[in-house]
């Protein structure tokens, strides 16, 4: 009974998600530790301190997590997602939507550059999901474009990377 | 959303939009092409160049000293920017006949008139590379043919100078973009790294600004030691260094061949180093007449400096008299330290090589005539008395390093035995 | 000195510097409001240095830096996005206050305390200028190292209750900061063969990835504005909220004073400065204020007061090493020094004798910036507070767009957008699984300073560290802090059996293990 409960618990998203975080931390610690043998003493000190602190605390966290923990009264000094009492499917939908938009925005920036992708991407979100209406969607997008153009281009003489599509078209 | 709330949100958005516009427009107040006031007159004695050059930019969160004090580390300030540098109003534009061969002048007269000239700097604003580039940008318009309208500085950090080199490669080969090449990139090429388009044998160098024959002198703390023999007995005297700069490099060299010096990396700049020396944290420091007594006069007044050894050029007698006995040794004559010939050759090559810190290059495909125009103009800038004075205040002792000399330096380096090249790299702060 | 003080006032209050400050005022205000990134306005001035009068150049630069620092708590409170080096601890209580519809109160308290801290820092700077060098000589690399360490130990304190997670994420942050070239060891560490990683990760994309994007996503995913409570009241009574915040701040004058002293003192330690002082001030408030251990991190206004007093008073502190030694007290000071040099002025001790009036003028500018900017921000505060009521699907895309722009422009390296994305994924995971994010931030900010001063200390002082009174005092303070943290931890563990997390959705955990069967 105890084993079955534990196995169900271990396969829950609560555990698997955090295991991923711990694995990421251990991967970095391990990578730094292995490489540190090739570095001079001065260079290996800091990463090894990270490993010496991180690995024991990581192991403690791992044990505490796998042995199933009851939340303590004190709280982590950070904010958490405010999703209590909401329909999980709606949450998942909004999660996918914002991530899709973010990735599309960044892809757009890479392909088309900031000047085009940022105002257009913002407009699409504001108009489609923000329900901000034409006036505000256009107004805020234009304000973003004006910031790019007037502040960064004119005042700061900013350097931009060459976006992919303008390069293909021979525009840059 | 209620009607009232909708109105409130509207007001907030309007406020945000107006704020953004005001913000945007107010940024235009600093028109980079506006005519600036004349440059101020220098009020202080010229300073020396840095203690050391950073092998690569330091992490972003670390504070970096101003190059007047050191130049040990290039600025890692978090917000690199490309910012225009205006040409001083009323700056006398030198007649073409004074800048280079007549044929090239006529061919390229007016070439720089319409478009701005960009100096690409591979580090953040405020660092050593950046400050010197800005000082060059102030004086270069007077020496290029025609009437260049403006210079702009473009800071492109990343990849230890690689990004800046790539920026140069992507620019037009029209001589309107020049790069102050990060010395680390050359070091990496010497280590065998492949850098696209960078061939040491055909590097399109136009010159280096800091080729000088400075007297480099190392002193110990007189409160702790009274002679070189004391140091030998102690066996390990702490001094800031080990990161590749030319000033503490002699101490690093003595350490690497088993002498009684212990260089400690981590200090950022001469001011920080001298402050540590003054409070007794370090047992030795540089004691270069042009720079160090100006930064902390108390060290002279208190007779804290015990001269130990010099290299490059012998310090003048007046300065040595001020410091008091004993007479310092030439580095190769230090008792108790055994230098082998190949080590001396490597050290000499490194001293020469370090004179080419902050070299300037143009696009590799730039027409030869235009390259020559740049070389002539660049030399004229470096030898301009106004530039020498301004660079002195910025912390640099300047002198023109010619491309031919650099070719010789590279040849010398490449002809070193493997252990010699390794020593050069270690002296350059690469482990 | 008096003559120089009068001359400084005469020169500063002349048309050139005043016009310069007036022009830069709106830019500086807007710059501070951009989360984490800000604008490289100082580097624009750098372009003109040497061409314009040094008084005008310094007025613009010091004023814009001071004004930018003053406005930085706004994104921290309203959006939960800390500054790259300052206004970080403000997030811990400021943002939860905004979530409870108390943004106006938080801003009112923040600006009152900012003014007090700023004026205090300026006054201290003015007072210690003549003896600043002698005072700073009392502190060496060992103390700078211990203060950096204390900054990171602050993580343990603020993470009490989740001590293990706090230390683990701090170590993770140090590991992240280890990537890239180290001047101390002369090698490129763990670059994985990627040129981009030669110089390691920039702190701005980390802040934006770790905080700005997850917080914006939180709004969208939770389908709620920042403020969930008091929405109507807040819209109607924002002015009253701000006034109430001001009153509350003024009623905590000793807390403000203590925090200002800490901010100024730590700020004066070269390199350690701005990134550490406000954290230490926050921790001291948490440990010394009545009941704060239970309420800090959940929207306690005293957390905002402590953090912001120290945050702004450190401006005066960081100028002390900059002016008396020519050593930059914080990264931004590099540009101040550069502008001085390009203006033909040698910073450091020579400046105190040859340009004492300009040196004193910098103190005036800091004070002036506080006197001008704080009232403006207080006037704007009721309107700014209402940003916390903006619908999530309107605020989130704007925050993401603006911060993305800031992330790119901080370095102008395209790969930094990938860094933003990577840290956004990490930030979302950490937020979801209750791993505190501030420890990563402070570890990344302080690791380079910690590394170099640690190496220097090991090689110069060695065990002599324990013979220095100054170091021993700091070590004793650290031991006391850790002891208090562990005590809080054990109290939290004991109470775990009778209490449940009081913040909805909190995934806090640890220690008290129950039998799953």
């Amino acid at each position: 009974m105890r084993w079955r409960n534990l196995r169900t618990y271990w396969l829950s998203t609560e555990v698997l998600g955090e295991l991923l975080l711990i694995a990421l931390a251990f991967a970095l610690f391990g990578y730094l530790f292995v490489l540190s043998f090739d570095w001079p003493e001065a260079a290996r000190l800091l990463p090894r301190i990270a490993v010496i602190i991180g690995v024991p605390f990581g192991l403690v966290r791992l044990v505490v997590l796998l042995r199933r923990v009851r939340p303590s009264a004190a709280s982590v000094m950070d904010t958490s997602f405010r999703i209590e009492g909401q329909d999980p499917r709606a949450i998942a939908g909004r999660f996918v939507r914002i991530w899709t938009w973010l990735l599309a925005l960044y892809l757009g920036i890479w392909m088309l550059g900031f000047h085009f992708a940022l105002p257009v991407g913002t407009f699409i979100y504001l108009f489609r999901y923000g329900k901000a209406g034409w006036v505000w969607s256009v107004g805020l997008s234009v304000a973003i474009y004006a910031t790019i153009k007037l502040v960064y281009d004119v005042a700061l003489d900013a350097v931009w990377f060459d976006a992919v599509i303008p390069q293909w078209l021979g525009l840059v | 959303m209620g009607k009232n709330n909708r109105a409130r949100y509207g007001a907030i958005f309007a406020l945000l939009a107006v704020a953004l516009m005001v913000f945007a427009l107010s940024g235009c107040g600093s028109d980079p092409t506006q005519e600036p006031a004349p440059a101020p007159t220098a009020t202080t004695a010229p300073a020396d160049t840095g203690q050391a050059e950073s092998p690569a930019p330091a992490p972003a969160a670390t504070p970096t000293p101003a190059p007047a004090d050191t130049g040990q580390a290039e600025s890692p300030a978090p917000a690199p920017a490309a910012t225009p540098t205006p040409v001083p109003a009323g700056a006398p534009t030198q007649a073409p006949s004074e800048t280079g061969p007549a044929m090239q002048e006529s061919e390229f007269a007016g070439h720089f008139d319409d478009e701005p000239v960009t100096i690409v700097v591979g580090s953040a604003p405020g660092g050593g590379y950046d400050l010197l580039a800005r000082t060059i940008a102030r004086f270069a318009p007077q020496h290029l043919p025609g009437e260049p309208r403006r210079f702009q500085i473009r800071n492109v950090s990343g990849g230890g100078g690689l990004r800046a080199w790539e920026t140069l490669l992507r620019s037009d080969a029209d001589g309107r973009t020049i790069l102050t090449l990060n010395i680390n990139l050359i070091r990496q090429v010497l280590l065998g790294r492949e850098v696209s388009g960078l061939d040491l044998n055909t590097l399109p160098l136009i010159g280096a600004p800091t080729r000088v024959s400075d007297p480099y002198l190392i002193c110990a703390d007189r409160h702790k030691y009274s002679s070189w023999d004391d140091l030998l007995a102690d066996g390990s005297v702490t001094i800031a260094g080990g990161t590749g700069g030319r000033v503490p490099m002699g101490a690093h060299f003595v350490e690497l061949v088993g002498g009684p010096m212990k260089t400690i990396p981590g200090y950022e700049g001469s001011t920080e180093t001298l402050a540590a020396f003054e409070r007794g944290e370090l047992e030795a420091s540089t004691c270069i007449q042009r720079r160090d007594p100006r930064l902390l006069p108390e060290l002279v007044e208190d007779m804290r400096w015990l001269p130990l050894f010099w290299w490059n050029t012998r310090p003048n007698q007046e300065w040595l008299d001020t410091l008091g006995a004993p007479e310092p040794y030439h580095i190769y004559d230090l008792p108790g330290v055994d230098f082998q010939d190949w080590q001396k050759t490597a050290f000499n090559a490194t001293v020469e090589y370090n004179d080419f810190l902050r070299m300037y290059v143009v696009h590799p495909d730039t027409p030869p005539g235009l390259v020559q125009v740049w070389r002539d103009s660049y030399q004229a800038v470096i030898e301009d008395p106004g530039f020498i004075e301004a660079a002195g205040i910025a912390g640099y002792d300047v002198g023109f390093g010619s491309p031919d000399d650099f070719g010789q330096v590279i040849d010398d380096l490449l002809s070193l035995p493997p252990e010699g090249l390794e020593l050069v790299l270690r002296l350059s702060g690469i482990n | 000195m008096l003559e120089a003080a009068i001359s400084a006032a005469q020169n500063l209050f002349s048309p050139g510097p005043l016009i310069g400050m007036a022009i830069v005022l709106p830019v500086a205000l807007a710059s501070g409001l951009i989360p984490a990134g800000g604008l490289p306005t100082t580097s624009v001035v750098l372009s003109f240095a040497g061409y314009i009068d040094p008084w005008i150049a310094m007025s613009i630069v010091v004023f814009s830096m001071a004004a930018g620092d003053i406005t930085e708590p706004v994104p921290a409170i309203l959006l939960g996005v800390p500054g790259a080096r300052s206004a970080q601890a403000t997030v811990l209580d400021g943002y939860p206050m905004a979530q409870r519809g108390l943004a106006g109160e938080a801003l009112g308290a923040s600006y009152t305390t900012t003014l007090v801290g700023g004026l205090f820092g300026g006054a201290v700077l003015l007072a210690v200028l003549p003896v600043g060098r002698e005072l700073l000589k009392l502190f060496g690399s060992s103390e700078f190292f211990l203060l950096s360490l204390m900054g990171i130990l602050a993580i343990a304190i603020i993470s009490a209750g989740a001590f293990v997670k706090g230390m683990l994420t701090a170590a993770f942050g140090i590991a992240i900061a280890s990537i890239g070239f180290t001047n101390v060891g002369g090698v490129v560490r763990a670059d994985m063969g990627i040129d981009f990683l030669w110089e390691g990760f920039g702190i701005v994309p980390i802040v934006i990835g770790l905080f700005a994007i997850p917080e914006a996503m939180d709004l969208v995913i939770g389908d709620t504005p920042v403020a969930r409570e008091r929405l109507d009241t807040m819209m109607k009574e924002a002015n009253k909220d701000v006034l109430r915040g001001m009153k509350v701040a003024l009623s905590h004058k000793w807390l403000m004073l203590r925090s200002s002293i800490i901010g100024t003192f730590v700020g004066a330690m070269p390199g350690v400065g701005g990134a550490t002082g406000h954290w230490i001030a926050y921790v001291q408030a948490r440990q010394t204020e009545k009941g704060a251990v239970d309420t800090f991190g959940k929207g306690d206004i005293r957390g905002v007061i402590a953090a912001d007093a120290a945050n702004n008073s450190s401006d005066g502190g960081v100028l002390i090493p900059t002016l008396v030694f020519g050593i930059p007290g914080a990264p931004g000071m590099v540009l101040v020094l550069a502008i001085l040099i390009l203006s033909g002025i040698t910073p450091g001790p020579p400046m105190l004798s040859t340009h004492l009036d300009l040196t004193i003028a910098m103190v005036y500018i800091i004070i002036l910036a506080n006197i001008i900017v704080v009232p403006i921000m207080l006037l704007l505060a009721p309107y700014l507070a209402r940003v916390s009521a903006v619908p999530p699907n309107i605020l989130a895309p704007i925050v993401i767009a603006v911060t993305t722009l800031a992330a790119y422009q901080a370095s102008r390296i395209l790969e930094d957008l990938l860094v933003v994305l990577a840290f956004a994924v990490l930030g979302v995971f950490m937020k979801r699984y209750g791993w505190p994010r501030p420890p990563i931030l402070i570890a990344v900010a302080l690791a380079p300073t910690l590394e170099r001063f640690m190496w220097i200390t090991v090689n110069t002082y060695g065990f002599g560290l324990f013979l220095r009174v100054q170091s021993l005092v700091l070590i004793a303070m650290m031991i006391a802090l850790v002891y208090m943290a562990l005590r809080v931890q054990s109290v939290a563990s004991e109470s775990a059996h009778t209490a449940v997390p009081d913040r909805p959705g909190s995934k806090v955990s640890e220690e008290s293990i129950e039998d799953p069967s």
Side-chain angles (χ1 to χ4, degrees):
Chain A
M1 188 65 184
R2 177 191 167 100
W3 167 243
R4 187 181 298 171
N5 279 348
L6 263 184
R7 199 177 55 177
T8 311
Y9 168 70
W10 285 346
L11 293 176
S12 69
T13 54
E14 288 303 310
V15 176
L16 291 178
E18 195 167 343
L19 277 180
L20 206 61
L21 276 176
I22 295 172
L24 180 68
F26 272 103
L28 184 57
F29 294 146
Y31 182 59
L32 288 173
F33 185 70
V34 170
L35 288 183
S36 69
F37 289 96
D38 296 335
W39 301 330
E41 192 185 348
R44 70 168 82 118
L45 199 56
L46 186 76
R48 284 193 177 175
I49 285 175
V51 173
I52 287 168
I53 297 171
V55 168
F57 280 106
L59 288 173
V60 170
R61 180 67 209 143
L62 192 63
V63 170
V64 166
L65 177 71
L66 293 180
R67 286 196 60 196
R68 193 165 192 177
V69 174
R70 183 173 173 176
S72 81
S75 55
V76 171
M77 282 287 176
D78 201 352
T79 54
S80 53
F81 282 107
R82 298 176 299 166
I83 49 176
E84 71 285 357
Q86 297 201 27
D87 175 15
R89 283 171 60 187
I91 291 170
R94 294 193 288 262
F95 184 81
V96 170
R97 181 220 297 168
I98 187 71
W99 269 107
T100 308
W101 176 76
L102 180 71
L103 293 174
L105 179 72
Y106 277 43
L107 189 67
I109 289 170
W110 179 52
M111 300 291 283
L112 296 159
F114 273 96
H115 290 71
F116 184 83
L118 213 57
V120 170
T122 310
F123 169 79
I124 290 172
Y125 193 96
L126 287 173
F127 188 73
R128 174 77 181 80
Y129 303 109
K131 309 273 190 282
W134 277 101
V135 175
W136 285 111
S137 302
V138 170
L140 289 168
S141 303
V142 167
I144 285 175
Y145 180 77
T147 305
I148 296 173
K149 199 69 196 165
L150 297 178
V151 177
Y152 287 103
D153 282 345
V154 176
L156 300 177
D157 195 24
V159 181
W160 305 95
F161 65 94
D162 295 333
V164 173
I165 289 181
Q167 277 193 72
W168 285 347
L169 299 176
L171 297 176
V172 290
Chain B
M1 190 189 294
K3 196 175 177 180
N4 283 344
N5 276 354
R6 198 186 298 263
R8 281 173 193 139
Y9 295 137
I12 292 166
F13 293 144
L15 186 72
L16 280 174
V18 169
L20 277 170
M21 292 304 290
V22 167
F23 164 42
L25 292 171
S26 62
C28 299
S30 51
D31 180 2
T33 57
Q34 74 184 28
E35 289 191 351
T41 309
T43 52
T44 50
D48 188 7
T49 175
Q51 175 188 7
E53 292 307 317
S54 165
T62 318
T64 306
D69 312 317
T70 80
Q72 182 175 10
E74 284 311 310
S75 169
T83 48
T85 297
V87 178
T93 304
Q94 196 161 343
S97 59
E98 295 170 37
T99 62
M103 186 186 73
Q104 284 154 8
E105 285 158 18
S106 58
E107 192 180 345
F108 295 103
H111 179 75
F112 299 100
D113 288 2
D114 299 327
E115 305 238 351
V117 176
T118 301
I119 301 181
V120 180
V121 179
S123 58
Y129 282 89
D130 180 71
L131 263 182
L132 199 57
R134 289 176 193 276
T135 310
I136 286 172
R138 271 173 64 189
F139 290 89
Q142 303 168 37
H143 297 284
L144 276 174
E147 297 183 8
R149 280 180 51 216
R150 69 174 179 135
F151 267 61
Q152 59 186 13
I153 305 296
R154 186 147 286 174
N155 301 88
V156 186
S157 55
L162 185 66
R163 291 304 158 99
W165 171 252
E166 290 170 350
T167 303
L168 178 75
L169 288 187
R170 279 201 306 273
S171 70
D172 294 333
D174 59 3
R176 292 195 186 98
T177 303
I178 64 173
L179 164 73
T180 169
L181 190 63
N182 193 323
I183 192 80
N184 305 304
L185 218 51
I186 305 288
R187 288 171 180 151
Q188 293 298 324
V189 172
L190 288 172
L191 274 171
R193 183 185 182 197
E194 289 284 326
V195 175
S196 171
L198 205 164
D199 181 351
L200 289 182
N201 295 313
T202 58
L203 194 66
L205 185 68
I206 57 175
T210 51
R211 184 161 168 75
V212 287
S213 292
D214 261 1
Y216 297 136
L217 180 62
I218 299 289
C219 291
D221 188 347
R222 207 184 281 273
H223 288 179
K224 295 180 180 172
Y225 303 100
S226 58
S227 68
W228 174 255
D229 289 341
D230 280 359
L231 272 76
L232 279 175
D234 191 331
S236 174
V237 179
T238 52
I239 182 169
T243 52
R246 53 181 172 178
V247 181
M249 198 179 71
H252 195 195
F253 183 46
V254 171
E255 178 188 22
L256 289 176
V257 298
M261 304 298 296
K262 181 182 180 186
T263 55
I264 299 174
Y267 289 98
E268 294 188 338
S270 300
T271 315
E272 194 175 305
T273 301
L274 290 176
F277 178 78
E278 189 190 21
R279 62 178 178 252
E281 194 171 297
L282 292 170
E283 296 159 327
S285 80
T286 60
C287 42
I288 296 165
Q289 186 182 15
R290 275 185 307 100
R291 179 192 65 190
D292 297 331
R294 182 178 54 85
L295 294 174
L296 269 183
E298 289 86 346
L299 293 173
V300 180
E301 292 158 14
D302 299 345
M303 293 292 284
R304 285 285 294 276
W305 274 319
L306 174 84
L308 294 177
F309 61 88
W310 58 271
W311 69 98
N312 216 30
T313 307
R314 187 180 185 280
N316 73 52
Q317 195 56 47
E318 179 203 350
W319 176 235
L320 294 179
D321 290 344
T322 306
L323 293 175
E327 177 76 13
Y329 296 97
H330 181 271
I331 190 167
Y332 295 148
D333 300 330
L334 279 170
V337 186
D338 183 25
F339 297 101
Q340 295 178 31
D341 285 344
W342 68 267
Q343 291 170 329
K344 290 179 183 175
T345 307
F347 180 69
N348 291 341
T350 315
V351 171
E352 286 280 309
Y353 167 63
N354 277 349
D355 280 348
F356 285 86
L357 296 171
R358 304 188 177 97
M359 63 184 75
Y360 281 69
V361 296
V362 289
H363 192 291
D365 299 333
T366 307
L370 205 48
V371 175
Q372 191 56 48
V373 166
W374 257 117
R375 287 179 176 172
D376 294 339
S377 304
Y378 187 83
Q379 181 170 4
V381 172
I382 304 304
E383 292 170 355
D384 183 323
F387 172 77
I388 292 169
E389 186 183 17
I393 293 165
Y396 301 101
D397 192 22
V398 290
F400 178 66
S402 78
D404 294 339
D405 290 347
F406 182 69
Q408 184 59 50
V409 168
I410 291 296
D411 286 346
D412 290 347
L413 283 177
L414 294 177
S415 63
L416 287 172
E419 64 270 25
L421 193 56
E422 189 186 329
L423 182 58
V424 170
L425 291 168
R426 291 199 69 184
L427 287 169
S428 305
I430 303 287
N431 287 304
Chain C
M1 179 87 176
L2 184 64
E3 201 176 307
I6 294 168
S7 165
Q10 285 172 339
N11 280 302
L12 188 64
F13 294 105
S14 58
L18 287 178
I19 291 171
M21 286 187 277
I23 288 173
V24 84
L25 175 63
V27 183
L29 289 176
S31 177
L33 295 177
I34 293 177
L39 286 171
T41 44
T42 314
S43 58
V44 175
V45 182
L46 195 60
S47 304
F48 295 94
Y51 301 111
I52 60 174
D53 182 68
W55 283 85
I56 299 176
M58 291 318 296
S59 304
I60 293 174
V61 167
V62 177
F63 188 86
S64 73
M65 282 183 153
D69 282 352
I70 293 167
T71 52
E72 264 197 342
V74 173
I77 291 170
L78 294 179
L79 304 172
V81 185
R85 281 183 72 84
S86 56
Q88 295 172 344
T90 312
V91 172
L92 295 183
D93 282 288
Y95 192 51
M97 282 185 77
Q99 290 180 329
R100 286 166 39 198
L102 295 169
E105 195 174 329
L107 288 170
S110 169
Y111 280 109
T112 308
T113 197
T114 288
L115 180 64
V116 171
L119 296 180
F120 180 87
V124 169
L125 172 60
L126 196 58
V128 305
L129 263 184
V131 291
R133 281 196 56 218
E134 296 306 314
L135 286 177
L136 272 189
K137 272 161 65 177
L138 295 173
F139 302 97
S141 297
S142 56
E143 285 77 48
F144 305 152
F145 158 62
L146 289 169
L147 275 169
S148 314
L149 195 61
M150 194 187 283
I152 295 181
L153 263 181
I155 297 163
I157 317 303
I158 61 168
S159 304
F163 183 73
V164 173
K165 283 178 177 176
M167 292 306 290
L168 177 55
T169 47
F172 191 44
I174 294 173
I176 289 169
S178 297
I179 293 171
F181 185 82
T182 164
N183 219 17
V184 174
V187 290
V188 180
R189 285 187 299 221
D191 66 343
M192 297 172 239
I194 303 169
D195 289 335
F196 161 68
L197 289 178
W198 263 40
E199 290 169 26
F201 294 109
I203 195 157
V204 173
I206 289 180
V207 172
I208 288 170
L210 217 48
F211 288 89
I213 291 187
E215 292 310 329
M217 287 185 169
D218 183 28
L219 300 179
V220 171
I221 294 166
D223 198 23
T224 171
V226 172
R228 272 192 166 183
E229 303 164 27
R230 296 182 78 241
L231 262 178
D232 286 338
T233 317
M234 188 187 71
M235 296 299 275
K236 285 177 196 156
E237 298 181 1
N239 287 318
K240 287 182 186 170
D241 286 352
V242 173
L243 279 173
R244 192 169 58 248
M246 293 169 70
K247 281 181 192 164
V248 173
L250 288 173
S251 70
H252 288 90
K253 49 185 177 295
W254 293 115
L255 176 60
M256 278 197 285
L257 184 63
R258 284 202 311 271
S259 304
S260 300
I261 291 171
I262 292 171
T264 310
F265 171 72
V266 181
M269 301 292 128
V272 186
T276 318
H278 61 288
W279 281 109
I280 295 177
Y282 182 85
V283 169
Q284 66 83 26
R286 187 175 186 272
Q287 301 305 120
T288 56
E289 289 288 303
K290 193 177 177 186
V293 165
D294 296 322
T295 55
F296 267 39
K298 296 168 188 167
D300 189 324
I301 198 165
R302 293 172 297 175
V304 177
I305 293 169
D308 284 344
N311 192 40
N312 207 35
S313 65
S314 69
D315 273 3
V318 296
L319 268 178
I320 295 174
T322 309
L323 295 178
V324 302
F325 274 113
I327 300 170
M333 289 296 127
V334 173
L335 294 176
V336 172
L337 293 176
I339 288 167
L340 284 172
I341 289 165
L342 288 172
S343 300
I345 296 165
T346 306
M351 191 174 158
L352 292 178
S353 51
T354 57
H355 290 88
L356 184 60
D357 52 353
L358 184 58
T359 311
I360 293 172
M362 290 192 207
V363 185
Y364 291 167
I365 296 168
I366 288 182
I367 292 171
L368 200 62
N370 277 281
I371 293 172
I372 292 172
V373 176
V374 169
I376 291 175
M377 294 309 294
L378 281 169
L379 286 173
L380 289 175
Y383 304 98
L384 290 168
R386 289 171 179 143
V387 169
S388 61
V390 172
N393 284 314
I394 291 176
L395 188 58
I398 293 172
V399 168
I400 289 174
V402 172
T403 52
T404 298
L405 195 56
Y408 175 74
Q409 283 299 333
S411 64
R412 292 168 181 177
I413 298 172
L414 185 60
E415 285 90 336
D416 269 348
L417 294 188
L418 290 176
V419 176
V420 170
L421 279 180
F423 277 90
V425 173
L426 182 65
V428 166
F429 263 80
M430 292 180 76
K431 198 171 157 69
R432 167 69 179 80
Y433 291 100
W435 281 35
R437 293 168 293 170
I440 288 196
L441 193 56
I442 191 171
V444 170
L446 285 180
T449 309
L450 179 76
E451 178 171 36
R452 73 187 187 97
F453 285 125
M454 178 169 60
W455 185 248
I456 289 171
T457 302
V458 166
N459 282 281
T460 54
Y461 295 100
F463 287 111
L465 168 80
F466 298 103
L467 300 175
R468 285 173 64 84
V469 176
Q470 305 94 312
S471 296
L472 287 174
V473 169
L474 290 174
I475 290 169
M477 285 168 67
M478 280 195 284
I479 291 171
L481 284 173
V482 172
Y483 170 74
M484 283 190 277
L486 293 173
R487 204 161 142 251
V488 169
Q489 174 79 11
S490 67
V491 170
S493 297
E494 281 167 22
S495 59
H497 295 283
T498 54
V500 290
D502 53 359
R503 278 193 301 146
S506 179
K507 295 294 167 192
V508 290
S509 52
E510 248 128 301
E511 278 59 41
S512 70
I513 299 171
E514 70 169 5
D515 188 346
S517 57

